[in-house]
Amino acid sequence: MEDTTLTRRGKLASWTVVHYPPPPPHVPEEPFEPFGIAEVSFPEGIQIVGPMTKVDLSDLKLGMELETVVETYYVDHDGEAVLGWKFRSVEEEE
Amino acid sequence: MREVVIAGVGLHPWGKFPDKSWVQMGAETSLEAADDAGVQWTEIESMVCGAMQWGGSTGMRAGNTIAAAIGETGVPIQNINNACASGGSVLRSAWLMVASELHDVVIAVGADKSPKGFLPSVPVLADEPGMPIDMVRWHLGLPNPGYWALEMRKRMERYGTTAEQLAQVKVKNSRHGALNPYARYQREFTIEEVLASPMVCDPLHLYEICGTSDGAAAVVLTSRDFAKKNGLPIVKLAACSLTSGMFGDPTIRIPLLSATSDEEATAPLLSESELAARMAFEQAGLGPEDMDFVELPDNSSWHELQYLETMGFCAPGEAEKLLTEGVTELGGGLPVCPSGGFSSFGEATIAQGLLQVVEATWQLRGTAGSRQVEGARIGMTQVYGAQANNSACILTT
């Protein structure tokens, strides 16, 4: 098997908003806020799901460009930040 | 391969049974199926049982646990876990044993109790290198209905499916479930109620996602000669396929987080299901047009719309039309989920594939009561599970 580095940017293929806190090992925000999940299609021919950095549903349009960023998912019991990939709109950055 | 007959069936009512163990549910239902087939427990030559992941160690060996509760007879017992497709998978193994003439009487069993709410992960080894993908997806926070919601959003974009059409799936299945004394939810829901139910994973509302239930089902398979000898009504298991997914399928599968992009896909969405239906039709020498009814896995309302296409009952984008024109309702040309479906039963993962086969058997015997599909002679069941498992069966009189 070979590793492939993906382009940072892809297109929004689909999205949902999770309205209830998922069970452990998920660590929900306190107080819980509904959060967005995006499915992003990359030029390398793969689509990947991940949380969105923010959800303003009125801004979302399938096909819009999103960028991959690394952000904190939550801080664990030892005070360590657990990092993961998230997607943010390119406009958000600019 | 010789012909295989469904000689007996048993079904436990579905719901929440906090005062009754899944072992007791499984044992009662197994004995009910044996009794229905006119056989003694000691006449059963082999047992295939769904391995029940929520039941811990004894749950993973559910067949042995249930057999011990009834009375051990020394027969081979197989425990199989293929996620929500386990029921179809155990039936497939039982079918092979009778079809191959290895055994004359085999029982397939599924008994399950599900945790409340979103189905959670099952613990993994703490020192396993890397993080298993099922843990990653929970850290990220994607419950099962989230996967289905992502597909439904695409469908709405592609075909213009309205919120009302999506809600109509639940309304239709609830009308069937209202007629089924074994269902957990035995009442009709309205479109307004469905749309007013809480949003779980946008665009899927609470009533558009099946609940998680406790349930059990069992099926006794025999050779035709054995069934004839006992004077039983003949329902033939004309096909029983089992498949897995194909490379190039764009479905993001529970609990994975990626797939081939839609643009680059070289296999159909839900390739395991498309393949299982196609193989079942080939095996039975029949086509979609021959089916009098179908029990499909309506884990969410999206599934029902998608599966009508995946299984070949209509062209892409036509499922909404079948629904709104009443074709898929009892009395229509192709009743879908006459039992009420998972939307009326809730899913009991190990058992739900067998639940469908029990319902199909009753329909073909003509004993389905007020939800009877008039003149039913050929029926189909199809069930899918996480990580691309699928089983499809065709039953004939």
Side-chain angles (χ1 to χ4, degrees), chain A residues 13-93:
Chain A
S14 192
W15 58 270
T16 184
V17 176
V18 180
H19 287 265
Y20 287 87
H26 187 78
V27 180
E29 272 189 64
E30 295 282 352
F32 177 76
E33 283 288 332
F35 59 94
I37 297 267
E39 179 178 334
V40 179
S41 176
F42 290 88
E44 288 77 11
I46 188 170
Q47 47 196 7
I48 298 175
V49 291
M52 284 185 265
T53 53
K54 66 163 193 177
V55 191
D56 188 345
L57 300 186
S58 57
D59 290 347
L60 292 177
K61 193 168 165 33
L62 297 191
M64 71 189 279
E65 204 164 11
L66 295 181
E67 185 176 43
T68 314
V69 292
V70 173
E71 282 200 3
T72 301
Y73 280 5
Y74 63 93
V75 176
D76 70 14
H77 296 303
D78 302 325
E80 296 276 349
V82 174
L83 305 178
W85 70 92
K86 286 192 181 183
F87 299 121
R88 72 174 176 196
S89 73
V90 172
E91 286 78 35
E92 196 181 324
E93 168 206 32

Coordinates of all heavy atoms in Angstrom, one line a residue, chain A residues 13-93:
Chain A
A13 N -20.0 17.7 -1.0 CA -20.9 16.7 -1.6 C -22.2 16.5 -0.9 O -23.2 16.2 -1.5 CB -20.1 15.3 -1.7
S14 N -22.2 16.6 0.4 CA -23.4 16.6 1.2 C -23.1 17.1 2.6 O -21.9 17.3 3.0 CB -23.9 15.1 1.3 OG -25.2 15.1 1.8
W15 N -24.1 17.3 3.4 CA -24.0 17.7 4.8 C -25.2 17.3 5.6 O -26.2 17.0 5.1 CB -23.7 19.2 4.9 CG -24.9 20.1 4.3 CD1 -25.0 20.5 3.0 CD2 -26.1 20.5 4.9 NE1 -26.1 21.2 2.8 CE2 -26.8 21.2 4.0 CE3 -26.5 20.4 6.2 CZ2 -28.0 21.8 4.3 CZ3 -27.8 21.0 6.5 CH2 -28.5 21.7 5.6
T16 N -24.9 17.3 6.9 CA -26.0 17.0 7.9 C -25.7 17.8 9.1 O -24.6 18.3 9.3 CB -26.2 15.5 8.2 OG1 -27.4 15.4 9.0 CG2 -25.0 14.9 8.9
V17 N -26.7 17.9 10.0 CA -26.5 18.5 11.3 C -26.9 17.5 12.4 O -28.0 17.0 12.3 CB -27.3 19.8 11.5 CG1 -27.1 20.4 12.9 CG2 -26.9 20.9 10.4
V18 N -26.0 17.2 13.3 CA -26.3 16.2 14.4 C -27.0 17.0 15.5 O -26.3 17.9 16.1 CB -25.0 15.5 14.8 CG1 -25.4 14.5 15.9 CG2 -24.4 14.8 13.6
H19 N -28.2 16.7 15.8 CA -29.0 17.5 16.8 C -29.0 16.9 18.2 O -29.6 17.5 19.1 CB -30.4 17.7 16.3 CG -30.5 18.6 15.2 ND1 -30.9 19.9 15.4 CD2 -30.4 18.5 13.8 CE1 -30.9 20.6 14.2 NE2 -30.6 19.7 13.2
Y20 N -28.5 15.6 18.4 CA -28.4 15.0 19.7 C -27.0 14.6 20.0 O -26.2 14.2 19.1 CB -29.3 13.8 19.7 CG -30.8 14.1 19.8 CD1 -31.5 14.3 18.6 CD2 -31.4 14.3 21.0 CE1 -32.8 14.7 18.6 CE2 -32.8 14.7 21.0 CZ -33.5 14.8 19.8 OH -34.8 15.2 19.9
P21 N -26.5 14.7 21.3 CA -25.2 14.3 21.6 C -24.9 12.8 21.3 O -25.7 12.0 21.8 CB -25.0 14.6 23.1 CG -26.4 14.9 23.6 CD -27.3 15.2 22.4
P22 N -23.9 12.5 20.5 CA -23.6 11.1 20.2 C -23.0 10.4 21.5 O -22.6 11.1 22.4 CB -22.4 11.2 19.2 CG -22.6 12.5 18.6 CD -23.1 13.4 19.7
P23 N -23.1 9.1 21.6 CA -22.7 8.4 22.8 C -21.1 8.4 22.9 O -20.5 8.7 21.9 CB -23.2 7.0 22.6 CG -23.3 6.8 21.1 CD -23.6 8.2 20.6
P24 N -20.6 8.0 24.1 CA -19.1 7.9 24.2 C -18.6 6.9 23.2 O -19.3 6.0 22.8 CB -18.9 7.3 25.6 CG -20.2 7.6 26.3 CD -21.3 7.6 25.3
P25 N -17.4 7.0 22.7 CA -16.3 7.9 23.2 C -16.5 9.3 22.7 O -15.6 10.1 23.0 CB -15.0 7.3 22.6 CG -15.5 6.6 21.4 CD -16.8 6.1 21.6
H26 N -17.5 9.7 22.1 CA -17.7 11.1 21.8 C -17.8 12.0 23.0 O -18.4 11.6 24.0 CB -19.0 11.3 20.9 CG -19.1 12.7 20.4 ND1 -18.4 13.1 19.3 CD2 -19.8 13.8 20.8 CE1 -18.7 14.4 19.1 NE2 -19.5 14.8 20.0
V27 N -17.1 13.1 23.0 CA -17.2 14.0 24.1 C -17.9 15.3 23.6 O -17.3 16.1 22.9 CB -15.8 14.4 24.7 CG1 -15.9 15.4 25.8 CG2 -15.1 13.1 25.1
P28 N -19.2 15.4 24.0 CA -19.9 16.6 23.4 C -19.6 17.9 24.1 O -19.1 17.9 25.3 CB -21.4 16.2 23.7 CG -21.4 15.2 24.8 CD -20.0 14.6 24.8
E29 N -19.8 19.0 23.4 CA -19.6 20.3 24.0 C -20.6 20.5 25.2 O -21.7 20.0 25.1 CB -19.8 21.4 23.0 CG -18.6 21.7 22.2 CD -18.8 23.0 21.4 OE1 -19.1 24.0 21.9 OE2 -18.8 22.8 20.1
E30 N -20.2 21.2 26.2 CA -21.1 21.5 27.3 C -21.4 23.0 27.3 O -20.4 23.8 27.4 CB -20.5 21.1 28.6 CG -20.3 19.7 28.8 CD -21.6 18.9 29.2 OE1 -22.7 19.5 29.4 OE2 -21.6 17.6 29.2
P31 N -22.6 23.5 27.2 CA -23.8 22.8 26.9 C -23.7 22.3 25.4 O -23.1 22.9 24.6 CB -24.9 23.8 27.1 CG -24.3 25.1 26.8 CD -22.9 25.0 27.2
F32 N -24.5 21.2 25.1 CA -24.5 20.7 23.8 C -25.1 21.6 22.7 O -26.1 22.2 23.0 CB -25.2 19.3 23.7 CG -25.3 18.7 22.3 CD1 -24.2 18.1 21.8 CD2 -26.5 18.8 21.6 CE1 -24.3 17.6 20.5 CE2 -26.5 18.3 20.3 CZ -25.4 17.7 19.8
E33 N -24.3 21.8 21.6 CA -24.8 22.5 20.5 C -24.9 21.6 19.3 O -23.9 20.9 19.1 CB -23.9 23.7 20.2 CG -24.0 24.9 21.2 CD -25.2 25.7 21.0 OE1 -25.8 25.7 19.9 OE2 -25.7 26.3 22.0
P34 N -26.0 21.6 18.5 CA -26.0 20.9 17.3 C -24.7 21.2 16.4 O -24.3 22.4 16.4 CB -27.3 21.3 16.6 CG -28.1 21.7 17.7 CD -27.2 22.4 18.7
F35 N -24.1 20.2 15.8 CA -22.9 20.5 15.0 C -23.1 19.9 13.6 O -23.8 19.0 13.3 CB -21.7 20.0 15.7 CG -21.7 18.5 15.9 CD1 -21.1 17.6 15.0 CD2 -22.3 18.0 17.1 CE1 -21.1 16.3 15.3 CE2 -22.3 16.6 17.3 CZ -21.7 15.8 16.4
G36 N -22.4 20.5 12.6 CA -22.5 20.1 11.2 C -21.4 19.1 10.8 O -20.3 19.1 11.3
I37 N -21.8 18.2 10.0 CA -20.9 17.2 9.4 C -21.0 17.4 7.9 O -22.1 17.5 7.3 CB -21.3 15.8 9.7 CG1 -21.3 15.5 11.2 CG2 -20.5 14.8 8.9 CD1 -20.0 14.9 11.8
A38 N -19.8 17.5 7.3 CA -19.7 17.6 5.8 C -19.2 16.4 5.2 O -18.4 15.7 5.8 CB -18.9 18.9 5.5
E39 N -19.6 16.1 3.9 CA -19.0 15.1 3.1 C -18.3 15.9 2.0 O -19.0 16.6 1.3 CB -20.1 14.1 2.6 CG -19.5 13.0 1.7 CD -20.6 12.1 1.2 OE1 -21.6 11.9 1.9 OE2 -20.4 11.5 0.1
V40 N -17.0 15.7 1.9 CA -16.3 16.5 0.9 C -15.6 15.6 -0.2 O -15.0 14.6 0.2 CB -15.2 17.4 1.6 CG1 -14.4 18.2 0.6 CG2 -15.9 18.3 2.6
S41 N -15.8 16.0 -1.4 CA -15.3 15.2 -2.5 C -13.9 15.9 -3.0 O -13.9 17.1 -3.3 CB -16.3 15.3 -3.7 OG -15.7 14.6 -4.8
F42 N -12.9 15.1 -3.0 CA -11.5 15.6 -3.3 C -11.2 15.2 -4.7 O -11.6 14.2 -5.2 CB -10.5 15.1 -2.3 CG -10.6 15.7 -1.0 CD1 -11.5 15.1 0.0 CD2 -9.9 16.8 -0.6 CE1 -11.6 15.7 1.2 CE2 -10.1 17.4 0.6 CZ -10.9 16.8 1.6
P43 N -10.3 16.0 -5.4 CA -9.9 15.7 -6.8 C -9.3 14.4 -7.0 O -9.3 13.8 -8.1 CB -8.9 16.8 -7.1 CG -9.0 17.9 -6.0 CD -9.6 17.2 -4.8
E44 N -8.7 13.8 -5.9 CA -8.1 12.5 -6.0 C -9.1 11.3 -6.2 O -8.7 10.2 -6.3 CB -7.2 12.2 -4.8 CG -5.9 13.0 -4.8 CD -6.1 14.5 -4.3 OE1 -7.3 14.8 -3.8 OE2 -5.2 15.3 -4.5
G45 N -10.4 11.7 -6.1 CA -11.4 10.6 -6.4 C -11.9 10.0 -5.1 O -12.5 8.9 -5.1
I46 N -11.8 10.7 -4.0 CA -12.3 10.1 -2.7 C -13.2 11.2 -2.0 O -13.0 12.4 -2.2 CB -11.1 9.8 -1.8 CG1 -11.5 9.0 -0.5 CG2 -10.2 11.0 -1.4 CD1 -10.4 8.4 0.3
Q47 N -14.2 10.7 -1.3 CA -15.0 11.6 -0.5 C -14.9 11.2 0.9 O -14.8 10.0 1.3 CB -16.5 11.7 -1.0 CG -17.2 10.3 -1.2 CD -18.4 10.5 -2.0 OE1 -18.8 11.6 -2.5 NE2 -19.2 9.4 -2.2
I48 N -14.8 12.2 1.8 CA -14.4 12.1 3.2 C -15.4 12.9 4.0 O -15.8 14.0 3.7 CB -13.0 12.5 3.5 CG1 -12.0 11.7 2.6 CG2 -12.6 12.4 5.0 CD1 -10.6 12.1 2.7
V49 N -15.8 12.3 5.2 CA -16.7 13.1 6.1 C -15.9 13.6 7.3 O -14.9 13.0 7.7 CB -17.9 12.2 6.6 CG1 -18.9 11.9 5.5 CG2 -17.4 11.0 7.3
G50 N -16.3 14.7 7.8 CA -15.7 15.3 8.9 C -16.6 16.5 9.4 O -17.5 16.9 8.7
P51 N -16.3 16.9 10.7 CA -17.1 18.0 11.2 C -16.8 19.3 10.5 O -15.7 19.5 9.9 CB -16.6 18.1 12.7 CG -15.7 17.0 12.9 CD -15.2 16.5 11.6
M52 N -17.8 20.2 10.5 CA -17.6 21.5 9.9 C -17.2 22.5 11.1 O -17.6 22.3 12.2 CB -18.8 22.1 9.3 CG -19.1 21.4 7.9 SD -20.5 22.1 7.0 CE -21.8 21.0 7.5
T53 N -16.4 23.5 10.8 CA -15.9 24.4 11.8 C -17.0 25.2 12.4 O -17.0 25.6 13.5 CB -14.8 25.3 11.3 OG1 -15.3 25.9 10.1 CG2 -13.5 24.5 11.0
K54 N -18.0 25.5 11.5 CA -19.2 26.2 12.0 C -20.3 25.9 11.1 O -20.1 25.5 10.0 CB -19.0 27.8 12.0 CG -18.8 28.4 10.7 CD -19.0 29.9 10.7 CE -19.1 30.4 9.3 NZ -19.4 31.8 9.2
V55 N -21.5 26.1 11.6 CA -22.7 25.8 10.7 C -23.6 27.0 10.6 O -24.2 27.4 11.5 CB -23.6 24.6 11.3 CG1 -24.6 24.2 10.3 CG2 -22.7 23.5 11.8
D56 N -23.5 27.6 9.4 CA -24.5 28.6 9.1 C -25.2 28.0 7.8 O -24.7 28.1 6.7 CB -23.8 29.9 8.8 CG -24.9 31.0 8.6 OD1 -26.1 30.7 8.5 OD2 -24.5 32.2 8.6
L57 N -26.3 27.3 8.1 CA -26.9 26.5 7.0 C -27.2 27.4 5.8 O -27.2 26.8 4.7 CB -28.2 25.9 7.6 CG -28.1 24.9 8.7 CD1 -29.4 24.2 9.1 CD2 -27.0 23.9 8.5
S58 N -27.5 28.6 6.0 CA -27.9 29.4 4.9 C -26.7 29.6 3.9 O -26.9 30.0 2.7 CB -28.4 30.8 5.3 OG -27.5 31.4 6.1
D59 N -25.5 29.5 4.4 CA -24.3 29.6 3.6 C -24.0 28.3 2.8 O -23.1 28.4 1.9 CB -23.1 29.9 4.5 CG -23.2 31.3 5.0 OD1 -24.0 32.1 4.6 OD2 -22.4 31.6 6.0
L60 N -24.6 27.2 3.2 CA -24.1 25.9 2.6 C -24.8 25.7 1.2 O -26.0 25.9 1.1 CB -24.5 24.8 3.5 CG -23.7 24.7 4.8 CD1 -24.2 23.5 5.7 CD2 -22.2 24.6 4.5
K61 N -24.0 25.3 0.3 CA -24.5 25.0 -1.0 C -23.7 23.9 -1.6 O -22.4 23.9 -1.6 CB -24.3 26.2 -1.9 CG -25.1 26.2 -3.2 CD -25.1 27.5 -3.9 CE -25.6 27.5 -5.3 NZ -26.5 26.5 -5.8
L62 N -24.3 22.8 -2.0 CA -23.6 21.6 -2.5 C -22.7 22.1 -3.7 O -23.2 22.9 -4.5 CB -24.5 20.5 -2.9 CG -25.4 19.9 -1.8 CD1 -26.1 18.6 -2.3 CD2 -24.6 19.6 -0.6
G63 N -21.5 21.6 -3.7 CA -20.6 22.0 -4.8 C -19.6 23.1 -4.3 O -18.6 23.4 -5.0
M64 N -19.9 23.8 -3.2 CA -19.1 24.9 -2.8 C -17.7 24.3 -2.3 O -17.6 23.2 -1.9 CB -19.7 25.7 -1.6 CG -19.8 24.9 -0.3 SD -20.8 25.8 0.9 CE -19.6 27.0 1.5
E65 N -16.7 25.2 -2.3 CA -15.4 24.7 -2.0 C -15.1 24.8 -0.5 O -15.5 25.7 0.2 CB -14.3 25.6 -2.7 CG -13.0 24.9 -2.8 CD -12.1 25.5 -3.9 OE1 -12.4 26.7 -4.3 OE2 -11.1 24.9 -4.2
L66 N -14.5 23.7 0.1 CA -14.2 23.6 1.5 C -12.7 23.3 1.6 O -12.1 22.7 0.7 CB -15.0 22.5 2.2 CG -16.5 22.7 2.3 CD1 -17.1 21.5 3.1 CD2 -16.9 24.0 3.0
E67 N -12.2 23.7 2.8 CA -10.8 23.5 3.0 C -10.6 22.6 4.3 O -11.3 22.8 5.2 CB -10.0 24.8 3.2 CG -8.5 24.6 3.3 CD -7.8 25.9 3.4 OE1 -8.3 26.8 4.2 OE2 -6.8 26.1 2.8
T68 N -9.6 21.7 4.3 CA -9.3 20.8 5.4 C -8.4 21.6 6.4 O -7.4 22.1 6.0 CB -8.6 19.6 4.9 OG1 -9.3 19.1 3.8 CG2 -8.6 18.5 6.0
V69 N -8.8 21.6 7.7 CA -8.0 22.2 8.7 C -7.9 21.2 9.9 O -8.7 20.2 10.0 CB -8.6 23.5 9.2 CG1 -8.5 24.6 8.2 CG2 -10.0 23.3 9.7
V70 N -6.9 21.3 10.7 CA -6.7 20.5 11.9 C -7.2 21.3 13.1 O -6.7 22.4 13.3 CB -5.3 20.0 12.1 CG1 -5.1 19.3 13.4 CG2 -4.9 19.0 10.9
E71 N -8.1 20.8 13.9 CA -8.6 21.6 15.0 C -8.9 20.7 16.2 O -8.9 19.4 16.0 CB -10.0 22.3 14.6 CG -9.7 23.5 13.8 CD -10.9 24.5 13.9 OE1 -11.9 24.2 14.6 OE2 -10.9 25.5 13.2
T72 N -9.1 21.2 17.3 CA -9.4 20.5 18.5 C -10.8 19.9 18.5 O -11.8 20.7 18.2 CB -9.2 21.4 19.8 OG1 -7.9 21.9 19.8 CG2 -9.5 20.6 21.0
Y73 N -11.0 18.6 18.6 CA -12.3 18.0 18.8 C -12.8 18.2 20.2 O -14.0 18.6 20.4 CB -12.3 16.5 18.5 CG -12.2 16.1 17.0 CD1 -12.1 17.1 16.0 CD2 -12.3 14.8 16.6 CE1 -12.1 16.7 14.6 CE2 -12.3 14.4 15.2 CZ -12.2 15.4 14.3 OH -12.2 15.1 12.9
Y74 N -11.9 18.0 21.2 CA -12.3 18.2 22.6 C -11.0 18.1 23.4 O -10.0 17.6 22.9 CB -13.4 17.1 23.0 CG -12.9 15.7 23.0 CD1 -12.3 15.1 24.1 CD2 -13.0 15.0 21.9 CE1 -11.9 13.8 24.1 CE2 -12.5 13.6 21.8 CZ -12.0 13.1 23.0 OH -11.5 11.8 22.9
V75 N -11.1 18.5 24.7 CA -10.0 18.3 25.6 C -10.3 17.2 26.5 O -11.4 17.1 27.1 CB -9.8 19.6 26.4 CG1 -8.7 19.5 27.5 CG2 -9.5 20.8 25.5
D76 N -9.4 16.2 26.6 CA -9.7 15.0 27.4 C -9.5 15.2 28.9 O -9.2 16.3 29.4 CB -8.9 13.8 26.9 CG -7.4 13.9 27.2 OD1 -7.0 14.7 28.0 OD2 -6.7 13.1 26.6
H77 N -9.7 14.1 29.7 CA -9.7 14.2 31.2 C -8.3 14.7 31.7 O -8.2 15.3 32.8 CB -10.1 12.9 31.8 CG -11.5 12.5 31.5 ND1 -12.6 13.3 31.8 CD2 -12.0 11.4 30.9 CE1 -13.7 12.7 31.4 NE2 -13.4 11.6 30.8
D78 N -7.3 14.4 30.9 CA -5.9 14.8 31.3 C -5.6 16.2 30.9 O -4.4 16.6 31.0 CB -4.9 13.8 30.8 CG -5.2 12.4 31.3 OD1 -5.6 12.2 32.4 OD2 -4.9 11.4 30.5
G79 N -6.5 16.9 30.3 CA -6.3 18.2 29.8 C -5.6 18.3 28.4 O -5.2 19.4 28.0
E80 N -5.5 17.1 27.8 CA -4.8 17.1 26.5 C -5.9 17.4 25.4 O -7.0 16.8 25.4 CB -4.2 15.7 26.2 CG -3.1 15.3 27.1 CD -1.8 15.9 26.7 OE1 -1.7 16.4 25.5 OE2 -0.8 15.8 27.5
A81 N -5.5 18.2 24.4 CA -6.4 18.5 23.3 C -6.4 17.3 22.3 O -5.3 16.8 21.9 CB -6.0 19.7 22.6
V82 N -7.5 16.8 22.0 CA -7.6 15.7 21.0 C -7.9 16.4 19.6 O -8.9 17.0 19.5 CB -8.7 14.7 21.3 CG1 -8.9 13.7 20.2 CG2 -8.4 14.0 22.6
L83 N -6.9 16.2 18.7 CA -7.0 16.9 17.4 C -7.6 16.0 16.3 O -7.5 14.8 16.4 CB -5.7 17.4 17.0 CG -4.9 18.2 17.9 CD1 -3.5 18.6 17.4 CD2 -5.6 19.5 18.3
G84 N -8.2 16.6 15.3 CA -8.7 15.9 14.2 C -9.0 16.8 13.0 O -8.8 18.0 13.1
W85 N -9.4 16.2 11.9 CA -9.7 17.1 10.7 C -11.0 17.7 10.8 O -12.0 17.1 11.4 CB -9.4 16.3 9.4 CG -10.5 15.2 9.2 CD1 -11.6 15.4 8.5 CD2 -10.4 13.8 9.6 NE1 -12.3 14.2 8.4 CE2 -11.6 13.2 9.1 CE3 -9.5 13.1 10.3 CZ2 -11.9 11.9 9.3 CZ3 -9.8 11.7 10.5 CH2 -11.0 11.1 10.0
K86 N -11.1 18.9 10.3 CA -12.4 19.5 10.1 C -12.4 20.2 8.8 O -11.4 20.4 8.2 CB -12.7 20.6 11.2 CG -13.0 20.0 12.6 CD -13.5 21.1 13.6 CE -13.8 20.5 14.9 NZ -14.3 21.5 15.9
F87 N -13.6 20.6 8.4 CA -13.8 21.3 7.1 C -14.3 22.7 7.3 O -15.2 22.9 8.2 CB -14.7 20.6 6.1 CG -14.2 19.2 5.8 CD1 -15.0 18.1 6.1 CD2 -13.0 19.0 5.2 CE1 -14.5 16.8 5.8 CE2 -12.5 17.7 4.9 CZ -13.3 16.6 5.2
R88 N -13.8 23.7 6.6 CA -14.3 25.1 6.7 C -14.4 25.6 5.3 O -13.7 25.2 4.4 CB -13.4 26.0 7.6 CG -12.1 26.3 6.9 CD -11.4 27.3 7.8 NE -10.1 27.6 7.2 CZ -9.1 28.2 7.8 NH1 -9.2 28.6 9.1 NH2 -7.9 28.5 7.2
S89 N -15.4 26.6 5.2 CA -15.6 27.1 3.9 C -14.4 28.0 3.6 O -13.8 28.6 4.4 CB -16.9 27.9 3.8 OG -16.8 29.1 4.5
V90 N -14.1 28.1 2.3 CA -13.0 28.9 1.9 C -13.2 30.4 2.1 O -12.4 31.2 2.5 CB -12.7 28.7 0.4 CG1 -11.6 29.6 -0.2 CG2 -12.2 27.2 0.2
E91 N -14.5 30.8 2.0 CA -14.9 32.2 2.3 C -14.6 32.6 3.7 O -14.2 33.7 4.1 CB -16.4 32.5 2.0 CG -16.8 32.5 0.6 CD -16.9 31.1 0.0 OE1 -17.3 30.2 0.7 OE2 -16.5 30.9 -1.2
E92 N -14.8 31.6 4.6 CA -14.6 31.8 6.1 C -13.2 32.2 6.4 O -12.9 33.0 7.3 CB -14.9 30.4 6.8 CG -15.1 30.5 8.2 CD -15.4 29.1 8.8 OE1 -16.0 28.3 8.1 OE2 -14.9 28.8 9.9
E93 N -12.3 31.7 5.6 CA -10.8 31.9 5.8 C -10.5 33.3 5.3 O -9.6 34.0 5.9 CB -10.0 30.9 5.0 CG -8.6 31.1 4.9 CD -8.0 30.4 3.6 OE1 -8.8 30.3 2.6 OE2 -6.9 30.0 3.7

